[in-house]
Coordinates of all heavy atoms in Angstrom, one line a residue:
T36 N 53.6 -114.5 -20.9 CA 52.6 -114.0 -20.0 C 51.6 -115.1 -19.5 O 50.5 -114.8 -19.1 CB 51.8 -112.9 -20.7 OG1 51.2 -113.4 -21.9 CG2 52.7 -111.7 -21.0
T38 N 51.8 -117.0 -16.9 CA 51.6 -117.0 -15.5 C 51.7 -115.5 -14.9 O 51.1 -115.3 -13.8 CB 52.7 -117.8 -14.7 OG1 54.0 -117.4 -15.1 CG2 52.5 -119.3 -15.2
I39 N 52.4 -114.6 -15.6 CA 52.5 -113.2 -15.1 C 52.1 -112.4 -16.3 O 52.7 -112.4 -17.4 CB 53.9 -112.9 -14.7 CG1 54.2 -113.7 -13.4 CG2 54.0 -111.4 -14.4 CD1 55.6 -113.4 -12.8
K40 N 51.0 -111.6 -16.1 CA 50.5 -110.8 -17.3 C 50.7 -109.3 -17.1 O 50.3 -108.6 -18.1 CB 49.0 -111.1 -17.4 CG 48.6 -112.6 -17.6 CD 47.1 -112.8 -17.8 CE 46.8 -114.3 -17.8 NZ 47.5 -115.0 -18.9
D41 N 51.2 -108.8 -16.0 CA 51.2 -107.4 -15.8 C 52.7 -106.8 -15.8 O 53.0 -105.9 -15.1 CB 50.6 -107.0 -14.5 CG 51.1 -107.8 -13.3 OD1 51.8 -108.8 -13.5 OD2 50.7 -107.5 -12.1
Y42 N 53.5 -107.4 -16.6 CA 54.8 -106.7 -16.9 C 54.5 -105.3 -17.5 O 53.7 -105.2 -18.4 CB 55.7 -107.5 -17.8 CG 56.2 -108.8 -17.3 CD1 55.7 -110.0 -17.8 CD2 57.2 -108.9 -16.3 CE1 56.2 -111.2 -17.3 CE2 57.7 -110.1 -15.9 CZ 57.2 -111.2 -16.4 OH 57.7 -112.4 -15.9
P43 N 55.2 -104.3 -17.0 CA 55.0 -102.9 -17.6 C 55.2 -102.9 -19.1 O 54.5 -102.2 -19.8 CB 56.0 -102.1 -16.8 CG 56.1 -102.8 -15.4 CD 56.0 -104.2 -15.8
L44 N 56.2 -103.7 -19.5 CA 56.5 -103.7 -21.0 C 55.4 -104.3 -21.8 O 55.2 -103.9 -22.9 CB 57.8 -104.4 -21.2 CG 59.1 -103.7 -20.8 CD1 60.3 -104.6 -21.0 CD2 59.3 -102.4 -21.6
V45 N 54.7 -105.3 -21.2 CA 53.6 -105.9 -21.9 C 52.4 -105.1 -21.9 O 51.6 -105.0 -22.9 CB 53.3 -107.3 -21.2 CG1 52.0 -107.9 -21.8 CG2 54.5 -108.2 -21.4
E46 N 52.1 -104.4 -20.8 CA 50.9 -103.6 -20.7 C 51.1 -102.2 -21.4 O 50.1 -101.5 -21.6 CB 50.6 -103.3 -19.2 CG 50.2 -104.6 -18.5 CD 49.6 -104.3 -17.1 OE1 50.0 -103.2 -16.5 OE2 48.8 -105.0 -16.6
R48 N 52.8 -99.6 -20.4 CA 53.0 -98.4 -19.6 C 54.4 -97.8 -19.8 O 54.7 -96.7 -19.6 CB 52.8 -98.7 -18.1 CG 51.3 -99.1 -17.8 CD 51.0 -99.0 -16.3 NE 51.8 -99.9 -15.6 CZ 51.5 -101.2 -15.3 NH1 50.4 -101.7 -15.8 NH2 52.3 -101.9 -14.6
F137 N 58.4 -101.8 -9.5 CA 57.5 -102.9 -9.6 C 57.9 -103.8 -10.7 O 57.9 -103.5 -11.9 CB 56.0 -102.5 -9.8 CG 55.1 -103.6 -10.0 CD1 54.7 -104.4 -9.0 CD2 54.6 -103.9 -11.3 CE1 53.8 -105.5 -9.1 CE2 53.7 -104.9 -11.5 CZ 53.3 -105.7 -10.4
Q138 N 58.4 -105.0 -10.4 CA 58.8 -106.0 -11.3 C 58.0 -107.3 -10.8 O 58.3 -107.9 -9.8 CB 60.3 -106.3 -11.3 CG 60.9 -106.9 -12.6 CD 60.6 -108.4 -12.7 OE1 59.7 -109.0 -12.2 NE2 61.6 -109.1 -13.4
P139 N 56.9 -107.6 -11.5 CA 56.0 -108.6 -11.0 C 56.6 -109.9 -10.7 O 56.2 -110.6 -9.7 CB 54.9 -108.7 -12.1 CG 55.5 -108.1 -13.3 CD 56.5 -107.1 -12.8
A140 N 57.5 -110.4 -11.5 CA 58.1 -111.7 -11.2 C 58.9 -111.7 -9.9 O 58.9 -112.6 -9.1 CB 59.0 -112.2 -12.3
N162 N 50.4 -98.9 -10.5 CA 50.9 -100.1 -9.9 C 50.7 -100.2 -8.4 O 51.0 -101.2 -7.7 CB 52.5 -100.2 -10.1 CG 52.8 -100.6 -11.5 OD1 52.1 -101.3 -12.2 ND2 53.9 -100.1 -12.0
K166 N 49.4 -106.4 -4.8 CA 49.9 -107.1 -6.0 C 50.6 -108.4 -5.5 O 51.6 -108.3 -4.7 CB 50.9 -106.3 -6.8 CG 50.4 -104.9 -7.3 CD 49.6 -105.1 -8.5 CE 49.2 -103.7 -9.1 NZ 48.5 -103.8 -10.4
Y167 N 50.2 -109.5 -5.9 CA 50.8 -110.8 -5.5 C 50.9 -110.9 -4.0 O 51.9 -111.4 -3.4 CB 52.1 -111.0 -6.2 CG 52.0 -110.9 -7.7 CD1 52.3 -109.8 -8.4 CD2 51.7 -112.1 -8.4 CE1 52.1 -109.7 -9.8 CE2 51.5 -112.0 -9.8 CZ 51.8 -110.9 -10.4 OH 51.6 -110.8 -11.8

Side-chain angles (χ1 to χ4, degrees):
T36 58
T38 58
I39 294 179
K40 303 182 184 301
D41 53 349
Y42 290 110
L44 287 173
V45 172
E46 293 191 331
R48 295 196 300 271
F137 177 72
Q138 205 281 31
N162 287 329
K166 304 279 187 176
Y167 301 96

